[in-house]
Amino acid sequence: MTIVFADPAGLSHEQLEEGSAFSPRFDPSGLITVVTVEHGSNDVLMLAHMNAEALSLTLETGIAHYWSRSRGKLWKKGETSGELQQVVELRTDCDQDALVLVVKQTGRGAACHTGRKSCFYRTVQLVEGQAVLTDTLQPRLFDPNEVYGH
Amino acid sequence: MTIVFADPAGLSHEQLEEGSAFSPRFDPSGLITVVTVEHGSNDVLMLAHMNAEALSLTLETGIAHYWSRSRGKLWKKGETSGELQQVVELRTDCDQDALVLVVKQTGRGAACHTGRKSCFYRTVQLVEGQAVLTDTLQPRLFDPNEVYGH
């Protein structure tokens, strides 16, 4: 069963921002941006997208589902790696075009396909007018070659 | 001066994910998605977008600048409301198509135009098959009518 979400076009500005009807504003590609954070630490683990089906499945099963833009298909996070994400809370923003998904990261605790806990493992700094990256040295919790076989 | 960012098209998959060259992958509209979190608490304050100019200004001035998609212009966050964001850290993700901006929220501490600290002030829950929103009762730190005059 897919949940039928309220149509945001039918809502006033006030209803969208202050109301109790969940009316996700999917973009022209049918996607909404999702920030996934770790329960407890609030660390940002990853940024991804959901279509209506992924959002329905996430709400119905309590396990994070996304839409993979690179593969063009529904993506049950952790289906290959075993790193499933258990939903603790889902939040939406003022104009309902973004979501925050609070999860417990299962498996080895790696949300990133590189084997790290978070995808955000590098900082950006200006050094003599050039923007350079510095690795924050998050440990690899799995070997991606072993898990994904490439 | 606008920073010249490395062109991601010139990088291998390995360089993009493990290298030290910052090569933000702007989308076809020239934008990159930014998750802004509060320094210390890690609370997600808002989700927004930057073009190359906003990203340059953010790195150069240490004050968050975005691209307002609704207004179609550069947006120095807090220019009207006084709620400037001081940059503590900027991070990028594995494939460099998303950013996390860690900030100190100045002014009254409200990142959201509704006067709340965070834009994510409502949770989504399934109630009898319907997705409904519940207000988490974040206090309003300013009166939007007073600040924005509408």
Side-chain angles (χ1 to χ4, degrees):
Chain A
M1 186 200 78
T2 296
I3 299 165
V4 177
F5 299 108
D7 181 359
L11 297 186
S12 68
H13 192 72
E14 172 78 13
Q15 286 171 323
L16 193 67
E17 293 195 345
E18 304 297 336
S20 61
F22 181 43
S23 314
R25 289 175 55 220
F26 297 105
D27 70 14
S29 307
L31 301 178
I32 191 166
T33 305
V34 185
V35 183
T36 306
V37 307
E38 184 185 49
H39 178 61
S41 71
N42 263 347
D43 284 345
V44 177
L45 297 177
M46 53 187 278
L47 189 133
H49 299 83
M50 290 180 181
N51 64 358
E53 186 186 5
L55 182 51
S56 288
L57 285 167
T58 299
L59 282 165
E60 287 170 346
T61 65
I63 299 292
H65 291 69
Y66 303 98
W67 176 259
S68 169
R69 293 188 303 175
S70 57
R71 286 176 286 157
K73 62 180 229 184
L74 187 75
W75 168 33
K76 182 180 178 183
K77 169 77 187 162
E79 198 162 31
T80 305
S81 66
E83 309 290 307
L84 296 173
Q85 296 176 332
Q86 290 176 355
V87 176
V88 176
E89 190 174 270
L90 181 67
R91 294 201 290 265
T92 191
D93 72 343
C94 41
D95 61 356
Q96 302 200 41
D97 69 353
L99 302 172
V100 165
L101 186 66
V102 183
V103 301
K104 286 186 190 169
Q105 179 64 59
T106 72
R108 288 149 291 197
C112 184
H113 76 287
T114 65
R116 296 170 174 97
K117 173 181 163 178
S118 163
C119 296
F120 294 89
Y121 50 83
R122 289 172 296 181
T123 60
V124 184
Q125 273 141 336
L126 262 195
V127 178
E128 294 172 6
Q130 293 272 322
V132 296
L133 300 178
T134 303
D135 198 313
T136 59
L137 305 179
Q138 283 186 37
R140 289 195 201 247
L141 305 173
F142 66 71
D143 176 352
N145 292 321
E146 207 170 278
V147 168
Y148 299 108
H150 58 74
Chain B
M1 188 198 79
T2 297
I3 299 164
V4 178
F5 299 108
D7 181 0
L11 297 186
S12 68
H13 192 71
E14 172 76 13
Q15 286 172 325
L16 193 68
E17 293 195 346
E18 303 297 336
S20 60
F22 181 44
S23 314
R25 289 175 57 220
F26 297 105
D27 70 13
S29 308
L31 302 178
I32 191 165
T33 305
V34 186
V35 183
T36 305
V37 307
E38 185 185 47
H39 178 62
S41 71
N42 263 348
D43 282 345
V44 177
L45 297 177
M46 54 187 279
L47 190 133
H49 298 83
M50 290 180 182
N51 63 358
E53 186 186 4
L55 181 51
S56 288
L57 284 167
T58 299
L59 282 165
E60 287 170 345
T61 65
I63 299 292
H65 290 70
Y66 303 97
W67 177 260
S68 168
R69 294 188 304 176
S70 57
R71 286 175 287 156
K73 62 180 226 183
L74 186 75
W75 168 33
K76 181 180 179 183
K77 170 76 187 163
E79 199 163 30
T80 304
S81 65
E83 309 290 307
L84 296 173
Q85 295 177 331
Q86 290 175 352
V87 177
V88 176
E89 190 174 270
L90 181 66
R91 294 199 292 265
T92 191
D93 71 344
C94 41
D95 60 356
Q96 301 201 40
D97 69 351
L99 302 171
V100 165
L101 186 66
V102 183
V103 302
K104 286 185 189 169
Q105 178 65 59
T106 73
R108 288 150 291 198
C112 183
H113 76 287
T114 65
R116 297 169 174 98
K117 172 181 164 179
S118 164
C119 296
F120 294 89
Y121 49 83
R122 290 173 297 182
T123 60
V124 184
Q125 273 141 334
L126 264 194
V127 178
E128 294 171 5
Q130 292 273 321
V132 295
L133 299 177
T134 304
D135 198 314
T136 58
L137 304 178
Q138 283 185 37
R140 289 197 201 244
L141 305 173
F142 66 73
D143 177 351
N145 292 322
E146 208 170 277
V147 168
Y148 300 106
H150 56 75

